[in-house]
Amino acid sequence: MELSTLDYSFIVVFFSIVLFIGVYVSKKSGASSSEYFLSGRTMPWWLLGLSMVATTFSTDTPNLVTDIVRTNGVSGNWVWWAFLLTGLLTVFVYAKLWRKSNVSTDLEFYEMRYGGKPASFLRKFRAVYLGVIFNVITMSAVTLAAIKIGGIMLGLEPWVTVVSAGLITVTFSALGGFKGVVYTDFLLFFVAMGGAIGAAYYLVNIPEVGGITALMANENVADKLAIVPDFSNTKALITLFIIPLAVQWWSSWYPGAEPGGGGYIAQRMLAAKNENHAIGATFFFNIMHYALRPWPWILVALASLVVYPDIASIHEAFPNVAVDKLGHDLAYSAMLTKLPSGLLGLVLASLIAAYMSTISTQLNWGSSYIVYDFYKQQINPNASEKRLVAVGRISTVILMVFSAALALLLQNALQLFEVLLVFGAGTGLIFILRWFWWRINAWSEITAMFASGIISIILKLTAVGPFLFAAETGVFPDWAEYPFVVLVTTVIWLAATFMTQPESKEVLQDFYKKIQPGGPGWSKVIKEAKDENVEIVNTKEKWSVPAGITAMLLGCVLIYSCMFATGYWIYGKTTNALILTAVAIVSGFLLARAWNKMKDHIL
């Protein structure tokens, strides 16, 4: 496949603008570590919300969605759609708590909530564990997708894709810092969204597919359209729907959907002007992420089943692709080769935008952990602001190199999705409860982290690990395995919690006074402070969690009904679409009222 002059023009202009933004903001971003990693905490909700959406576009996400749709149908996406629940819990309960903490990274929270050597160890260890290991794994999945796109669409060798795409990304990320990332995300959002929609519209209407009506009727597609799994298929229902909604959303740590907030989502909340801007940004992100954005990818995935019904047909069409890179996720890139000149350049630019947005965010977020939570804590506590920025830029480059090297060894996106889910199984409940239950201590988190990892490795080695997706068959694992890991990990960390000493009275009182989490889980601490005539409760601030949970449930109804309605409008099922649209309008009205009441609880 050859690109036209027009296609190259789109790509060159796009690269030029991105690099210009990085260079333009580099001086101000390098003024201090707060500017470099949080842009001085002055960001508005709409810019942060667009940045969150752009960051999670990613090049591996359409590949993953395509893989899921081709193997398990549209309903297979509940494996990640279920994370909307934790997303909205973050919006209406945890966003304001994170912003009030005023920490520089979410790991700094550990030495605010806990005390002593265990808290210090936890902060430093997770700086490396998340900032380096998990971050490199996540970025390697994104880079792997870029390798496949480069191989299918441009015939590039993997190392060529890695070097060319990574070099520009790491340059503007290292120069511009967080401000550069967010400003470029504004551009990347519109480019990526326009490219995804344009590609879906064109590819559904190519002669081989024949339009939306023919697509829906095709024998390869008809049994893949259901948005909810077939209730008569017990295994699919439990594995793809019940387990994600009943267990997975609150029990797993997953980048971008951490229970209680965390990672780069927390970084953006911490960069917001105030609590309301943090809430607005995360709510906007969840609407776009779940209700609207997946459908262009789903349509291309369904169309690919008509053009490339199996892996063999993909291999036949692209014989130069290495055997170890073959998989259903290649179908997305394969379909994009059929785009015409101009639109092809736009879509390629959108894919580059998705790649750069995700990688730049991961680099800045990961290096913030290395700088604040490891380097400054462990190596050089008295480092100047200039030195911290320099370390941030160096660590940005190193993280890019590690992730690129790992990407060259991987085969498909589901491998990484499996690893991330498995190692976070059973830890999510701690991230939810640690704000509202005084008894959780640093040992709770340390035990859960190691227990989850060790149990997962044991199950993996015995070939019965949770979420061991079979790339060859597309079959999900037995439904009982994932809850088993969650149950055992939870029992272990609860036992460790009660077998170890609670955090000191001073640590707990200081935390409550600063955050004002409220609720019955802190009644013991409040009573002790009152008995000692220590004032830790702000009587002007009401407990907002009940109102927040109500808003969360209404938000779930709103976004899920929007998601379903969008799908049914596309499918041409007008009656279902109208009913769900009405549900979305009513739930939106009720949510607006609930939000107005919630604002009375926020100072």
Side-chain angles (χ1 to χ4, degrees):
M1 184 186 70
E2 293 185 4
L3 300 183
S4 68
T5 303
L6 182 60
D7 296 325
Y8 280 116
S9 299
F10 275 119
I11 297 171
V12 170
V13 169
F14 172 76
F15 272 139
S16 301
I17 294 174
V18 168
L19 282 174
F20 171 77
I21 292 173
V23 174
Y24 179 76
V25 302
S26 61
K27 185 175 181 180
K28 187 172 183 179
S29 295
S32 69
S33 58
S34 177
E35 280 288 343
Y36 191 77
F37 293 115
L38 293 172
S39 191
R41 304 183 193 268
T42 58
M43 288 289 177
W45 69 268
W46 57 270
L47 188 55
L48 291 172
L50 285 174
S51 177
M52 291 180 192
V53 180
T55 291
T56 52
F57 252 102
S58 185
T59 44
D60 65 317
T61 309
N63 287 16
L64 176 63
V65 169
T66 299
D67 207 338
I68 290 172
V69 171
R70 286 174 64 89
T71 54
N72 294 286
V74 174
S75 62
N77 285 287
W78 281 102
V79 75
W80 66 273
W81 283 343
F83 283 120
L84 171 65
L85 279 74
T86 190
L88 290 188
L89 194 64
T90 296
V91 171
F92 295 113
V93 175
Y94 294 101
K96 77 184 189 77
L97 300 177
W98 277 113
R99 189 60 189 84
K100 285 167 68 174
S101 72
N102 206 39
V103 293
S104 298
T105 71
D106 56 316
L107 298 189
E108 188 179 332
F109 169 88
Y110 289 125
E111 292 190 294
M112 176 187 297
R113 173 62 176 83
Y114 312 127
K117 292 182 179 180
S120 179
F121 165 79
L122 187 60
R123 180 179 180 184
K124 294 167 188 173
F125 181 83
R126 284 185 72 85
V128 177
Y129 181 66
L130 297 180
V132 178
I133 299 173
F134 262 64
N135 197 23
V136 165
I137 290 173
T138 303
M139 288 191 293
S140 64
V142 179
T143 303
L144 173 65
I147 288 172
K148 295 194 173 190
I149 291 168
I152 288 286
M153 301 187 70
L154 302 173
L156 299 177
E157 291 292 327
W159 71 268
V160 176
T161 302
V162 167
V163 172
S164 57
L167 191 59
I168 294 177
T169 305
V170 78
T171 299
F172 93 81
S173 300
L175 287 175
F178 183 75
K179 189 185 292 289
V181 170
V182 173
Y183 283 4
T184 53
D185 278 348
F186 179 79
L187 168 67
L188 303 181
F189 168 80
F190 292 103
V191 174
M193 200 72 200
I197 293 172
Y201 180 83
Y202 181 87
L203 293 171
V204 165
N205 291 287
I206 61 176
E208 297 98 308
V209 179
I212 192 70
T213 303
L215 175 65
M216 300 295 116
N218 189 278
E219 61 180 358
N220 295 334
V221 175
D223 64 343
K224 304 286 188 182
L225 295 174
I227 300 176
V228 176
D230 182 0
F231 279 46
S232 64
N233 185 339
T234 304
K235 184 173 183 178
L237 180 65
I238 293 175
T239 306
L240 303 178
F241 190 67
I242 294 177
I243 293 300
L245 282 175
V247 180
Q248 183 180 298
W249 71 270
W250 58 263
S251 62
S252 286
W253 181 95
Y254 186 75
E258 298 89 344
Y264 54 78
I265 299 298
Q267 185 187 32
R268 278 152 178 74
M269 291 188 287
L270 293 169
K273 287 182 177 181
N274 54 42
E275 296 164 27
N276 285 326
H277 279 268
I279 293 170
T282 46
F283 186 57
F284 177 79
F285 159 66
N286 279 278
I287 291 176
M288 292 298 300
H289 184 61
Y290 293 99
L292 301 176
R293 191 178 54 183
W295 284 105
W297 299 332
I298 290 172
L299 284 173
V300 174
L302 293 172
S304 75
L305 286 166
V306 179
V307 182
Y308 305 106
D310 51 32
I311 294 177
S313 60
I314 298 174
H315 191 204
E316 182 180 353
F318 302 95
N320 293 329
V321 174
V323 175
D324 66 342
K325 301 299 183 191
L326 280 173
H328 283 294
D329 56 342
L330 273 177
Y332 189 82
S333 304
M335 290 297 291
L336 297 184
T337 63
K338 297 183 175 296
L339 295 175
S341 176
L343 181 56
L344 176 60
L346 175 63
V347 170
L348 273 174
S350 74
L351 292 171
I352 294 169
Y355 171 82
M356 296 177 71
S357 176
T358 303
I359 293 294
S360 61
T361 288
Q362 296 289 148
L363 289 173
N364 187 265
W365 164 62
S367 63
S368 73
Y369 281 2
I370 294 171
V371 169
Y372 282 123
D373 303 301
F374 185 77
Y375 178 80
K376 190 174 181 180
Q377 293 295 308
Q378 184 72 28
I379 299 174
N380 190 356
N382 300 315
S384 65
E385 290 295 310
K386 185 177 180 180
R387 173 60 65 86
L388 293 178
V389 171
V391 173
R393 285 172 170 161
I394 293 170
S395 59
T396 295
V397 175
I398 294 173
L399 288 172
M400 186 72 237
V401 172
F402 283 165
S403 65
L406 179 58
L408 295 172
L409 303 175
L410 297 171
Q411 182 175 355
N412 64 61
L414 283 176
Q415 288 177 316
L416 277 302
F417 190 68
E418 168 201 336
V419 169
L420 293 174
L421 278 181
V422 166
F423 276 79
T427 62
L429 191 59
I430 291 180
F431 302 136
I432 291 175
L433 293 179
R434 63 188 183 181
W435 297 85
F436 298 107
W437 185 26
W438 71 275
R439 191 60 182 83
I440 287 178
N441 59 28
W443 289 110
S444 307
E445 294 212 28
I446 292 170
T447 305
M449 179 174 59
F450 282 103
S452 177
I454 292 170
I455 294 168
S456 300
I457 290 172
I458 292 173
L459 290 176
K460 174 76 172 176
L461 293 176
T462 55
V464 292
F467 281 90
L468 289 178
F469 296 106
E472 295 83 4
T473 63
V475 175
F476 280 75
D478 185 82
W479 66 270
E481 296 168 2
Y482 184 81
F484 172 75
V485 178
V486 172
L487 176 62
V488 174
T489 301
T490 302
V491 169
I492 290 174
W493 73 253
L494 278 172
T497 299
F498 289 107
M499 290 171 62
T500 55
Q501 291 294 317
E503 299 299 334
S504 70
K505 181 170 55 180
E506 292 76 19
V507 168
L508 294 172
Q509 289 180 0
D510 287 346
F511 177 79
Y512 193 95
K513 187 174 183 179
K514 182 177 182 64
I515 304 299
Q516 298 292 304
W522 287 95
S523 57
K524 182 178 183 298
V525 175
I526 294 172
K527 183 178 182 303
E528 287 181 349
K530 188 176 181 180
D531 291 342
E532 297 172 0
N533 292 320
V534 177
E535 199 67 43
I536 65 171
V537 178
N538 185 343
T539 56
K540 295 180 180 179
E541 186 169 357
K542 300 177 183 177
W543 193 40
S544 62
V545 171
I549 292 175
T550 300
M552 167 200 166
L553 295 174
L554 288 170
C556 285
V557 174
L558 169 63
I559 293 176
Y560 279 139
S561 57
C562 285
M563 182 181 74
F564 278 35
T566 302
Y568 286 131
W569 282 117
I570 292 170
Y571 290 175
K573 296 184 177 181
T574 307
T575 302
N576 290 345
L578 285 171
I579 292 172
L580 286 164
T581 300
V583 171
I585 293 171
V586 172
S587 58
F589 172 75
L590 294 175
L591 178 60
R593 292 186 61 183
W595 168 241
N596 285 331
K597 291 181 180 179
M598 263 191 70
K599 286 195 292 188
D600 295 336
H601 297 288
I602 300 176
L603 292 178

